[in-house]
Amino acid sequence: MNVLLLGAGGREHALAQALRKSPTLHRFFVAPGNPGIEKLAKSVALVSEDHEAIIAFCRRQTIDLVIIGPEAPLVEGLADSLAAEEIKAFGPSEDAALLEGSKGFAKKICEIFSIPTAAYARFTDAEAAKAHLHEKGVPIVVKADGLAAGKGVVVAETMPEAEAAIDAMFAGQFGDAGNVVLLEEKLMGEEVSFFALCDGKRAVEFGSAQGYKRLGAGDTGPNTGGMGAYSPVPFMDAAMNERVMSEIVRPLVAGMAELDRPFVGVLFVGLMITAQGPKVIEFNVRFGDPETQAILPRLEQDLLPLLKACAEESLPEAPLFLSDQSAVTIVLAAKGYPENPQKGSEIRGLEKIEAMEGVIVTQAGTKRDGQKLLADGGRVLNITGIGASLEEARAKAYAAIDAIDWPEGYCRRDIGAKPAK
Ligand code: AMP
Ligand code: GLY
């Protein structure tokens, strides 16, 4: 099979590592990729906005499957452009990607198909939003409707905090994403990221992970794209997984098909496991980053035919083989992340840790400069440790981190030590 993978992050590097193991993989391209992915796939200069160029490339190289990593090209309809040319893609259409592209849409879908989620109200002006706030009181969750790179959410514990968040969103802090603002009930419980592969009709559980969003140890400091993750999650046992599938994933997939928005790709459900059971916090329409880096190493079967089956509406309903081993992924960020990451420092010693047993390195924000590897982004490297227990996986990951020569890097020291909040 000839494959084109789109994306440039640690998630795509983890996907490339899994795809490389496939005996059915023939030609393998990535756009734009990064120095880590380029060791596994040929990098091509395509930008995801240029649908015409991607289509022309797929024809020239007889690409059998395009795997779309990030959300932006999905929300912008790349899968539709490819489908119109009969090029198979792993990833939802624009109509289905709205589950992530609009939180209001996601809420509406939950309402229509009785999928458990936090109570909410939707506003287009600050005054009405504040009137609702004063009626409901705090704590309350204030959300910008559109894509805001995971940053358009404020869990407000006080009135002034909630009012300031409403004002900032309507004042354009997140651009057009904040033209519509949602106010939500605050859910209490354990948070978990749940993944399912979907072919438009069927869905198969793909494991779960807990991600750590805050910058600092003990869940302090600003929100980030994610500072680490681990999988499996102890409280996600077979019974809870089945509840998530039967109360959330299957009704959603059936509902989207009924609305002529069939969901193809990976559904990433952000969940709160509350006293009443699992409730949806948000939907994402692609793999999580860095959750994927902690789940894919546990997959004990060929990923490529599964992704192809999603695109061809032929997903087998048999459960996937995920090993009982634990994986802990730690994000190494450039100092100054998220506001002002320092770029250009040199990373040494990566080869040494890549050779360590039970350690997987994925690159996210790196750049080659001759023989040197430089930091070139916020989240720069992801180090995954694999072991028989969470403790063992964690110890391996931190041992590897301690062996990297990159003084300009920063990581949380408590990933996998206790459940995230
Ligand atoms: P989101 O971008 O929707 O995933 O929200 C970011 C984070 O805000 C989530 O990971 C939760 O920790 C928190 N959050 C969002 N909505 C709620 C809610 N209704 N109740 C409690 N926490 C929430
Ligand atoms: N780590 C959260 C995300 O990928 O959105």
Side-chain angles (χ1 to χ4, degrees):
M1 232 187 278
N2 298 331
V3 172
L4 170 64
L5 171 65
L6 298 180
R11 162 182 56 205
E12 287 78 20
H13 194 173
L15 286 166
Q17 288 169 338
L19 294 168
R20 253 290 151 223
K21 293 186 204 150
S22 175
T24 58
L25 182 69
H26 183 45
R27 284 202 295 273
F28 187 19
F29 300 95
V30 64
N34 68 37
I37 307 175
E38 281 160 24
K39 292 185 183 160
L40 305 169
K42 187 170 164 36
S43 170
V44 287
L46 291 169
V47 288
S48 62
E49 292 83 3
D50 193 346
H51 297 190
E52 295 293 309
I54 293 174
I55 290 164
F57 177 84
C58 290
R59 292 216 186 294
R60 282 201 303 280
Q61 295 289 345
T62 55
I63 296 296
D64 299 295
L65 185 66
V66 180
I67 299 168
I68 305 171
E71 61 275 20
L74 294 166
V75 171
E76 285 157 14
L78 178 57
D80 306 78
S81 300
L82 293 169
E85 299 292 326
E86 293 182 359
I87 298 166
K88 295 208 165 71
F90 176 80
S93 66
E94 182 178 349
D95 281 351
L98 212 51
L99 281 175
E100 176 165 0
S102 163
K103 292 183 194 295
F105 175 78
K107 283 300 214 184
K108 193 101 220 145
I109 293 292
C110 287
E111 205 167 282
I112 300 173
F113 297 104
S114 306
I115 295 169
T117 187
Y120 80 108
R122 183 180 179 277
F123 301 93
T124 50
D125 71 274
E127 217 165 298
K130 283 185 192 166
H132 180 84
L133 166 67
H134 289 126
E135 187 189 317
K136 293 284 172 188
V138 284
I140 203 160
V141 184
V142 186
K143 297 190 178 183
D145 182 70
L147 285 185
K151 296 182 184 87
V153 175
V154 175
V155 181
E157 301 294 339
T158 67
M159 262 321 179
E161 227 184 314
E163 285 175 347
I166 292 169
D167 285 335
M169 286 182 197
F170 281 117
Q173 188 188 3
F174 301 109
D176 287 349
N179 289 349
V180 174
V181 167
L182 308 186
L183 294 183
E184 268 185 33
E185 157 203 14
K186 181 182 174 188
L187 298 172
M188 306 290 191
E190 283 280 1
E191 212 175 320
V192 67
S193 303
F194 185 97
F195 297 84
L197 293 180
C198 308
D199 73 353
K201 285 188 173 153
R202 282 168 295 257
V204 177
E205 183 190 321
F206 199 77
S208 50
Q210 248 192 336
Y212 296 73
K213 295 193 182 198
R214 300 292 202 96
L215 182 68
D219 297 309
T220 55
N223 261 319
T224 70
M227 295 304 292
Y230 73 88
S231 174
V233 181
F235 57 82
M236 294 303 287
D237 56 13
M240 186 54 80
N241 286 334
E242 183 45 34
R243 276 195 78 175
V244 176
M245 288 301 289
S246 63
E247 293 173 23
I248 295 168
V249 177
R250 286 189 209 108
L252 180 84
V253 171
M256 293 294 281
E258 190 183 315
L259 298 177
D260 285 327
R261 297 172 183 259
F263 189 89
V264 170
V266 58
L267 181 70
F268 164 176
V269 192
L271 286 173
M272 192 73 86
I273 308 298
T274 70
Q276 297 88 45
K279 292 193 182 183
V280 173
I281 295 176
E282 63 164 353
F283 292 117
N284 295 306
V285 300
R286 35 81 196 173
F287 284 109
D289 192 341
E291 289 84 348
T292 304
Q293 291 87 309
I295 293 179
L296 277 178
R298 297 181 47 231
L299 183 68
E300 293 189 313
Q301 70 192 85
D302 192 347
L303 178 68
L304 183 50
L306 287 171
L307 302 189
K308 182 92 183 307
C310 291
E312 290 178 336
E313 218 184 272
S314 62
L315 190 63
E317 252 165 324
L320 302 185
F321 296 102
L322 285 170
S323 83
D324 291 334
Q325 292 216 301
S326 285
V328 174
T329 299
I330 295 152
V331 170
L332 265 169
K335 281 182 184 162
Y337 175 75
E339 282 90 12
N340 184 26
Q342 309 290 305
K343 293 190 183 177
S345 57
E346 187 180 354
I347 301 158
R348 298 185 194 85
L350 220 49
E351 302 72 25
K352 195 168 61 187
I353 67 160
E354 276 167 341
M356 290 168 81
E357 191 270 323
V359 173
I360 299 173
V361 178
T362 50
Q363 298 188 25
T366 55
K367 170 170 103 174
R368 275 243 161 258
D369 179 15
Q371 290 305 305
K372 291 185 185 167
L373 187 66
L374 306 183
D376 191 40
R379 294 189 293 171
V380 175
L381 296 171
N382 317 134
I383 313 299
T384 302
I386 320 249
S389 65
L390 195 59
E391 292 69 32
E392 192 184 317
R394 183 169 184 268
K396 284 190 187 172
Y398 280 110
I401 289 214
D402 291 336
I404 300 179
D405 181 7
W406 184 39
E408 293 82 1
Y410 163 81
C411 70
R412 267 179 72 159
R413 285 278 159 186
D414 63 341
I415 303 299
K418 63 173 177 57
K421 264 195 229 134

